[in-house]
Amino acid sequence: MYLHFHGFKEKPFNLTPDPRFVFLSKIHREAFAHLLYGINNQVGFITLTGEVGSGKTTVLRSLLNHLDSKHHRTGMIFNPYLSPVELLQNINREFNIPYTLPHSSSLLESLNQFLLEQKAEGRMVVLAIDEAQDLDTSVLEQIRLISNLETDKEKLIQIILSGQPELIEILKRNEMRQLAQRITVRYHLHPMDFQDTIQYIHYRLDIATGGKSEVAFSKGALKQIYRFSHGLPRLINVACDRILLASYARNQKRIGSRIASVGIKDIKKYTPSERRWRPILIPILLIFSAFVAGIIYVKWTVFIHWINPIRQEQKVQSPIQKNLPVSGEKFPRLTADDLFEISESESARRAFNILASLWKLPPVPPEKYHLFQSDEIEHEVQDRELRLYRFSGNMGSLLRLNYPTLLELTMPGIQGKRFISLIGIENDSLLIDPPIAMRKSLPYNELEKYWSGQGYLLWKDFLNLMVIASPQVKGDSIKRLQELLREVGVFHHPSTGAYDADTKKAVMRFQALKGIEQDGIVGSQTLMLLYQSIDRFGVPRLRKGKE
């Protein structure tokens, strides 16, 4: 209706998926990187969660399209309302293997044979299951059994469970603990921010016009769209489509706040009114708030009574008894032997020395106890001819780097920060040093409860390649970079010593393989992973073995 008026070749804000209109914001790119990391590292299980309309299916489709058919076989299940046998039949149908067999054992045997054949041919099998929050418990158990199809060394199938936030709560149930413990890569897809929302709108307008769009949304209109949609792509599409229709009806090509308000108001007429429920909701919310406040008060009082006697209890307990966790306790109790009895800076010094030992470098002596009270750590790292990479993010992004890391912790009952070193990954647990409550390994989600999101990684620029690569850069450092890219199998051209288009493509190909941002810039993360991928440099790793 409004296509000719606005100069569109097609509707820019259709709700049906179209690969040409796919826009991956920074949030979606990070989700993509997490999924790719999980697949490349054959973790077995991955979860992707997010609100309705946040773009989960878009990320899944982009990922499956990204995986080349030479090295991958992919399948996707959309219908969650299945029995365990129906699930196996649908999976086998996706991979073109026998699916009419009546029994799950026969179907599972056919699937296992297929997975072994793909493994022998050098292919990885990836299965994505959408709307997983609607799967029955028995079906989730069947999925867990499918993940048991493996060789002595690795999983034969990588399974992505994608669903709404309810999936997170389902996996927290006691009966789901066997499945939940196997999930080592998780990502929750948050809505886009305001800047990404603007880029998303402009991108779709440009695609619809076949070039630079002449449709102009004022800043006020964009703010109204963002307030209505909260950055959810599906709601952005709904709002923009209705606003474009409103501007056509009023013969106004420039879309200002007033037109945007008319379009959004029109949408709200067909959605449940908040005002209708407000007289009922207000007293309910007040009662609920008072109830929650009472629970918080009681729990806080109990917590205070629990935490205060810990130090006194530690003094009278035997050296062995004081390190035992309390029966039924979900997380390890902190003890004097762990982190209570040392200062923040001493905790940092000890954890730093653990990393230094992995690099076979001298420790920081006890008299240097102000290590993390200033930039002293930089000097200690430089004195050892290393570089310091300061990490800020989530555990999934950190594990992608595969480097031992000094983790900053915030612990209940302890003032200031404390530090431990993440030194390895074994099965589904993270290896730490020094231990917490005599435990040298903790599950992924347990350690994340304490981690602040900040970390410190040591690394070495063996060939002095730390440059911001661009087409203007030339010289021996670029030639050395090209040789490294050749060594890891992503560069197949002469080493010219110039950062040309072929070199940039090779860098981006390597970045994609490692699940980091594909910007073609040879920064710290790219170099860290590049050196780590080549055995002769002897870089310490969280996961042992060749990358």
Side-chain angles (χ1 to χ4, degrees):
M1 186 180 293
Y2 57 70
L3 296 186
H4 180 71
F5 180 76
H6 288 297
F8 296 135
K9 296 181 179 179
E10 53 190 315
K11 290 185 72 173
F13 296 104
N14 265 329
L15 295 181
T16 53
D18 186 334
R20 293 181 304 110
F21 282 87
V22 169
F23 172 82
L24 295 180
S25 69
K26 54 179 174 287
I27 297 296
H28 295 93
R29 291 197 301 270
E30 187 173 342
F32 183 98
H34 273 71
L35 300 184
L36 190 60
Y37 164 81
I39 291 169
N40 288 339
N41 287 275
Q42 301 184 44
V43 299
F45 268 116
I46 307 164
T47 59
L48 174 66
T49 54
E51 287 292 346
V52 176
S54 59
K56 300 183 296 297
T57 305
T58 297
V59 172
L60 285 179
R61 288 181 180 277
S62 298
L63 175 76
L64 298 183
N65 289 334
H66 172 82
L67 300 175
D68 64 287
S69 58
K70 183 178 179 182
H71 299 100
H72 301 87
R73 287 293 300 273
T74 62
M76 194 165 181
I77 304 296
F78 293 98
N79 177 20
Y81 299 104
L82 302 167
S83 68
V85 171
E86 289 170 339
L87 172 73
L88 284 170
Q89 290 172 336
N90 274 263
I91 292 172
N92 286 9
R93 184 187 293 114
E94 274 291 297
F95 293 122
N96 295 318
I97 54 180
Y99 62 89
T100 57
L101 304 171
H103 302 295
S104 60
S105 58
S106 303
L107 291 163
L108 203 58
E109 186 177 341
S110 298
L111 178 59
N112 187 47
Q113 184 60 39
F114 166 76
L115 296 177
L116 289 170
E117 290 171 358
Q118 296 304 307
K119 173 64 180 172
E121 294 173 9
R123 295 192 192 94
M124 186 184 299
V125 178
V126 181
L127 174 68
I129 301 178
D130 207 2
E131 303 297 341
Q133 79 281 348
D134 292 325
L135 293 172
D136 187 75
T137 302
S138 60
V139 179
L140 286 169
E141 176 61 17
Q142 181 66 74
I143 292 170
R144 185 185 70 81
L145 294 176
I146 293 172
S147 76
N148 286 336
L149 302 177
E150 57 188 10
T151 66
D152 291 338
K153 294 183 178 180
E154 56 193 349
K155 298 285 186 184
L156 290 175
I157 186 168
Q158 307 301 307
I159 299 174
I160 304 170
L161 295 177
S162 174
Q164 295 167 25
E166 293 89 333
L167 178 61
I168 300 172
E169 299 305 315
I170 291 170
L171 293 172
K172 288 180 181 179
R173 295 174 186 169
N174 187 55
E175 66 268 25
M176 290 287 100
R177 64 187 184 278
Q178 285 188 315
L179 174 59
Q181 288 170 1
R182 295 176 181 223
I183 301 170
T184 55
V185 175
R186 305 166 187 249
Y187 192 84
H188 185 74
L189 192 60
H190 293 283
M192 295 187 292
D193 61 21
F194 181 56
Q195 290 303 320
D196 274 342
T197 299
I198 294 174
Q199 291 181 31
Y200 174 86
I201 293 170
H202 289 164
Y203 178 81
R204 294 186 75 104
L205 290 172
D206 287 346
I207 295 295
T209 56
K212 194 66 177 176
S213 169
E214 295 182 2
V215 177
F217 284 82
S218 72
K219 191 170 184 179
L222 292 168
K223 286 182 177 179
Q224 288 201 51
I225 294 168
Y226 183 69
R227 280 196 296 269
F228 169 78
S229 67
H230 301 290
L232 293 172
R234 188 174 300 165
L235 291 182
I236 295 171
N237 285 3
V238 170
C240 288
D241 183 71
R242 196 61 61 91
I243 290 168
L244 288 171
L245 181 60
S247 70
Y248 163 73
R250 286 158 179 77
N251 198 32
Q252 294 184 24
K253 291 199 172 186
R254 188 181 184 282
I255 300 170
S257 299
R258 184 173 298 178
I259 294 293
S261 180
V262 169
I264 291 171
K265 186 177 180 180
D266 193 38
I267 297 170
K268 290 181 176 179
K269 284 196 301 188
Y270 300 99
T271 57
S273 174
E274 295 178 7
R275 292 180 182 178
R276 185 185 311 164
W277 296 98
R278 195 169 295 169
I280 302 172
L281 283 176
I282 289 175
I284 292 175
L285 288 173
L286 288 174
I287 294 169
F288 180 73
S289 299
F291 176 70
V292 171
I295 292 175
I296 292 171
Y297 173 77
V298 171
K299 288 196 171 185
W300 178 252
T301 304
V302 172
F303 174 74
I304 292 297
H305 281 291
W306 173 77
I307 199 70
N308 283 338
I310 287 179
R311 296 198 184 201
Q312 284 74 21
E313 290 175 7
Q314 290 166 348
K315 292 177 182 178
V316 298
Q317 288 173 332
S318 70
I320 296 177
Q321 287 176 327
K322 69 181 180 181
N323 287 307
L324 293 176
V326 175
S327 176
E329 191 175 42
K330 187 175 180 181
F331 299 113
R333 173 173 287 187
L334 309 177
T335 67
D337 285 343
D338 294 314
L339 302 172
F340 270 125
E341 298 301 320
I342 59 175
S343 66
E344 178 177 327
S345 54
E346 176 60 13
S347 167
R349 186 186 71 84
R350 294 183 186 185
F352 178 85
N353 284 346
I354 291 164
L355 291 191
S357 69
L358 297 177
W359 286 88
K360 298 180 173 58
L361 295 171
V364 176
E367 57 268 20
K368 289 193 174 183
Y369 57 87
H370 290 301
L371 182 62
F372 273 81
Q373 294 183 2
S374 65
D375 290 333
E376 184 63 27
I377 184 174
E378 294 277 8
H379 300 306
E380 297 295 339
V381 172
Q382 291 171 7
D383 288 347
R384 289 159 179 77
E385 297 183 350
L386 294 179
R387 290 180 179 269
L388 180 69
Y389 181 75
R390 297 176 185 268
F391 177 88
S392 179
N394 57 47
M395 188 63 76
S397 298
L398 178 64
L399 296 182
R400 277 204 306 275
L401 296 178
N402 201 19
Y403 268 72
T405 308
L406 190 152
L407 299 180
E408 178 186 286
L409 308 181
T410 53
M411 316 293 283
I414 296 183
Q415 290 186 347
K417 303 180 182 71
R418 293 298 184 270
F419 300 86
I420 60 170
S421 286
L422 172 61
I423 60 173
I425 302 175
E426 191 173 273
N427 299 324
D428 294 331
S429 293
L430 303 178
L431 306 182
I432 59 172
D433 196 6
I436 297 179
M438 296 185 69
R439 296 173 66 181
K440 294 185 178 180
S441 67
L442 291 174
Y444 170 99
N445 59 338
E446 198 169 324
L447 182 58
E448 205 167 29
K449 291 285 183 180
Y450 298 137
W451 184 42
S452 70
Q454 304 296 315
Y456 302 84
L457 290 73
L458 307 185
W459 69 286
K460 188 169 185 177
D461 187 4
F462 294 92
L463 302 180
N464 295 318
L465 300 179
M466 191 60 189
V467 295
I468 303 300
S470 67
Q472 290 74 35
V473 178
K474 295 181 180 180
D476 290 339
S477 62
I478 301 301
K479 187 174 290 187
R480 292 195 295 271
L481 170 65
Q482 290 169 333
E483 291 301 326
L484 288 184
L485 294 170
R486 189 190 316 282
E487 200 166 342
V488 296
V490 296
F491 185 70
H492 308 288
H493 302 276
S495 300
T496 60
Y499 196 85
D500 51 20
D502 291 329
T503 307
K504 184 174 182 179
K505 285 180 182 177
V507 170
M508 295 176 70
R509 193 175 300 122
F510 176 77
Q511 290 170 332
L513 289 172
K514 293 300 178 180
I516 62 175
E517 186 177 359
Q518 301 169 49
D519 55 10
I521 297 173
V522 186
S524 298
Q525 282 197 18
T526 301
L527 280 177
M528 290 165 69
L529 292 170
L530 194 54
Y531 288 130
Q532 188 186 76
S533 299
I534 300 172
D535 286 339
R536 62 187 169 92
F537 291 112
V539 174
R541 300 182 177 121
L542 294 176
R543 291 181 177 81
K544 307 304 178 187
K546 186 172 178 62
E547 289 296 297

